[in-house]
Amino acid sequence: MAISRNMNTDAVYNCLIAAGASVYGACGVMGNIFAESGFNPRNLEDLCEERLGYKYTDDTYTEAVDSGEISRELFLHSMGDSRQYGYGLCQWTSAGRKAGLYDLAKKKGVSIGDPTMQIEYMISELQSRYRSVFYALKNATTVQEASDIFLQKFEQPLDTGDSVKSKRANYGEQYLMLYQDNNDKEEGTMSLISNSGHDENGRYSGGRAGDQTGTEWALIPWYSRPWKCVLRHPNSAVRAKIAELGVKAAKNDLIGYDQGQRDTYWQHLKASNYDPSQITIACEADCSAGVIANVKAVGHLLNIDSLKNLKATYTGDMRSAFRAAGFTVLTDKKYLNGPDYLLAGDILLNDGLHTATNIADGAEAGGNSTSTGSGSNNARNNVSDGQKWLNSNYGDKILKYCGAKLRVDGDYGDKSRWAALAVWKDLMNRRYGTKLDPTNKNFFESCKKVASKATVSHGTQGTFTFLVQFILAAKGFYFDNMDALCGDGLTAAIKSYQKSKGLEADGYCGANTWYALFN
């Protein structure tokens, strides 16, 4: 399996950086995770599969643990004796460490194979039981030193010899090449792309139809693939519709990733009025099949023959085919090295390897920029950025539940609060199976009872984290970047807010803090 970027690698990297690790420290960890599990959070040690008589695959084993078919005790001791076997991203092996992983999954009400939960557990271990390792990761100046200490003191496999050290550090160096150039280039505000990059097992084929994890086709922060060109259509209506379909496809969990079934998305898209949100049968795409299908769909929706008849078939011929269909090919570095100059609907392309859709205008694309000031002005800018982000990523939900998208004015009034709450409830329902009513403007006790599932704390990332930043910015407690990552700044803001409300100032946005934020 080749080293590549995907949602799981991005999540590990972003969470480690947010927790204070150096770039070298983060990449040293990632090289070890790749060696242990290939970044598959459901990975069961091969030897265990063999000794269980191949009764389970990675997926069926995970499902058996989740359902209770495999008890907690049997998860800790897979053969019913003292022998120990690895599971998950880090291949946790000892009974004590696996118990912590199991208990956290049950506490959060998520699968034992949930990557976000596993990353949180890894960082919590580093910050508590393996502080010397974490100190080294924070201060690492080479991948080798970070990789070695993580190998020897955190992973602790039987073989930690020179050849193993060399191999894992080499993996880490490859991740460094993917991530270092992008370090310090991310926007202060969240610049998202619609990205279809891997199946539920972190692989290119073999998984179940549909998006099993919410990460197969998803909205993720812009990153450097690196990109070789940007394909831009001159018609703003075309670009807007391409971006819209990219967002809808990423949000419909019936649309997943599988190179072997890549054409099923287009078949169901045609049968669903060329609207990804209307697809009701599980189907699959891959990066190019998804982008190409969406552009062809735009041709049908806007009656543009050149797009209807787009000749592209994969990333290797997209540049020429898109140019023939009227797209401009942009190769200036300012379009390739960051999101600032991109327009919503631009297509990012690395010929022969990967493609994705940019879904929002960059800070410099339309003459807008984000203030880097502090205090009340920056808080107001953060609220404006939050309103833009909510409209861009959840505009359909806000329109459905609240009647209209938000006015981007920097004022956190009743409409912004309701929109944030509606998004919170909708995400809770889709992710955790709750039955909350997003059209209701109240945060009832029924919401509070389930709110602990959405706890935000140091190292977490995503929409729930962004909502905390948005609301605390509006309340005058948060002034840092709106990046959907809970780092030191947001943790401090949560603590300050908790103190102001007479809550325990622990930096964890759990049930009581969510209740206070929305009430």
Side-chain angles (χ1 to χ4, degrees):
M1 184 189 304
I3 296 288
S4 64
R5 286 187 70 159
N6 57 51
M7 280 289 290
N8 289 339
T9 64
D10 281 351
V12 169
Y13 179 84
N14 289 335
C15 287
L16 284 168
I17 294 297
S22 72
V23 175
Y24 304 99
C27 292
V29 170
M30 292 163 70
N32 274 271
I33 292 177
F34 179 82
E36 291 287 337
S37 66
F39 268 95
N40 174 13
R42 291 185 163 204
N43 189 66
L44 174 66
E45 185 177 341
D46 292 344
L47 181 59
C48 186
E49 290 186 33
E50 177 186 338
R51 289 181 173 174
L52 288 172
Y54 297 104
K55 178 181 179 180
Y56 297 104
T57 64
D58 292 340
D59 289 339
T60 58
Y61 183 85
T62 299
E63 291 161 4
V65 174
D66 291 343
S67 69
E69 174 188 333
I70 294 176
S71 67
R72 182 180 188 273
E73 180 61 26
L74 201 54
F75 175 69
L76 304 186
H77 304 95
S78 304
M79 303 300 297
D81 53 30
S82 61
R83 288 176 289 181
Q84 300 178 331
Y85 301 93
Y87 178 83
L89 288 172
C90 296
Q91 289 293 279
W92 286 278
T93 302
S94 71
R97 296 179 72 181
K98 288 175 77 174
L101 182 70
Y102 183 95
D103 293 342
L104 181 61
K106 293 303 180 184
K107 177 182 178 182
K108 288 184 165 293
V110 299
S111 169
I112 190 69
D114 182 81
T116 301
M117 179 275 298
Q118 290 188 14
I119 295 167
E120 179 180 342
Y121 183 64
M122 177 188 72
I123 291 179
S124 71
E125 282 195 309
L126 287 169
Q127 293 176 331
S128 57
R129 298 177 59 192
Y130 298 90
R131 292 179 182 176
S132 64
V133 178
F134 196 47
Y135 178 84
L137 297 179
K138 287 182 175 182
N139 294 281
T141 57
T142 68
V143 169
Q144 186 75 61
E145 67 175 302
S147 178
D148 286 353
I149 193 168
F150 194 82
L151 167 69
Q152 294 174 306
K153 294 190 176 181
F154 187 90
E155 291 292 355
Q156 302 178 37
L158 292 176
D159 186 358
T160 59
D162 290 342
S163 63
V164 174
K165 290 179 181 178
S166 177
K167 180 182 290 187
R168 296 196 178 199
N170 179 261
Y171 292 153
E173 292 288 353
Q174 293 182 58
Y175 281 115
L176 183 66
M177 292 175 63
L178 291 175
Y179 285 86
Q180 185 179 35
D181 288 345
N182 189 46
N183 192 49
D184 297 328
K185 290 182 181 179
E186 295 292 339
E187 275 217 306
T189 56
M190 200 177 207
S191 299
L192 296 180
I193 59 176
S194 177
N195 186 80
S196 178
H198 60 86
D199 72 6
E200 65 267 29
N201 301 311
R203 300 168 183 163
Y204 296 126
S205 62
R208 289 182 295 172
D211 194 338
Q212 313 305 319
T213 63
T215 64
E216 296 184 47
W217 190 338
L219 301 179
I220 69 172
W222 180 96
Y223 68 90
S224 175
R225 179 62 175 89
W227 306 111
K228 301 298 184 182
C229 70
V230 168
L231 307 172
R232 174 178 292 175
H233 199 278
N235 186 323
S236 60
V238 169
R239 294 196 303 271
K241 188 61 70 172
I242 291 172
E244 176 188 329
L245 298 194
V247 171
K248 287 182 175 179
K251 291 182 177 181
N252 187 342
D253 287 343
L254 289 172
I255 306 168
Y257 181 102
D258 192 306
Q259 289 186 351
Q261 304 176 58
R262 66 195 297 265
D263 295 327
T264 57
Y265 171 59
W266 173 237
Q267 298 304 320
H268 289 291
L269 187 60
K270 288 191 294 183
S272 302
N273 303 308
Y274 301 104
D275 183 348
S277 66
Q278 293 186 27
I279 291 177
T280 58
I281 299 174
C283 59
E284 307 276 50
D286 62 12
C287 64
S288 57
V291 169
I292 292 167
N294 284 347
V295 172
K296 290 169 68 174
V298 170
H300 287 277
L301 291 169
L302 301 182
N303 196 27
I304 301 173
D305 288 338
S306 61
L307 302 185
K308 290 181 188 178
N309 302 315
L310 182 67
K311 301 300 183 184
T313 59
Y314 78 116
T315 51
D317 62 19
M318 281 180 60
R319 186 188 296 229
S320 59
F322 274 63
R323 182 189 286 116
F327 284 75
T328 300
V329 179
L330 305 172
T331 57
D332 191 285
K333 288 184 178 180
K334 71 178 183 180
Y335 299 112
L336 309 181
N337 294 342
D340 287 357
Y341 292 91
L342 297 180
L343 296 174
D346 281 348
I347 306 298
L348 303 163
L349 178 65
N350 183 324
D351 307 76
L353 293 175
H354 193 52
T355 186
T357 303
N358 187 62
I359 64 165
D361 291 347
E364 303 299 328
N368 297 321
S369 62
T370 302
S371 170
T372 57
S374 60
S376 60
N377 286 336
N378 203 43
R380 186 179 181 88
N381 287 332
N382 279 350
V383 173
S384 294
D385 290 337
Q387 291 167 327
K388 292 176 186 176
W389 189 87
L390 287 169
N391 283 340
S392 175
N393 294 285
Y394 292 97
D396 56 334
K397 304 295 184 185
I398 295 171
L399 187 62
K400 176 181 178 180
Y401 299 127
C402 306
K405 290 187 178 182
L406 292 174
R407 180 179 178 182
V408 180
D409 55 10
D411 287 329
Y412 182 79
D414 290 339
K415 291 182 179 179
S416 288
R417 176 199 166 279
W418 184 16
L421 180 57
V423 169
W424 188 91
K425 289 180 177 179
D426 177 76
L427 190 57
M428 288 291 295
N429 290 344
R430 290 187 292 114
R431 183 169 295 179
Y432 300 114
T434 55
K435 304 294 182 182
L436 307 176
D437 180 8
T439 65
N440 192 294
K441 300 180 181 181
N442 296 310
F443 192 94
F444 292 116
E445 284 295 326
S446 59
C447 299
K448 186 177 180 181
K449 287 179 180 179
V450 298
S452 61
K453 295 178 181 292
T455 295
V456 172
S457 60
H458 202 286
T460 60
Q461 65 172 354
T463 298
F464 288 127
T465 304
F466 191 90
L467 290 174
V468 175
Q469 291 177 333
F470 179 54
I471 299 172
L472 287 182
K475 294 178 180 293
F477 287 85
Y478 182 73
F479 307 103
D480 292 347
N481 293 335
M482 299 290 286
D483 55 8
L485 288 172
C486 187
D488 293 340
L490 183 58
T491 300
I494 293 172
K495 289 181 178 179
S496 295
Y497 179 71
Q498 289 170 326
K499 287 180 181 178
S500 74
K501 294 298 180 180
L503 301 172
E504 180 184 359
D506 57 6
Y508 285 76
C509 180
N512 290 330
T513 304
W514 276 120
Y515 187 84
L517 287 172
F518 280 121
N519 284 291

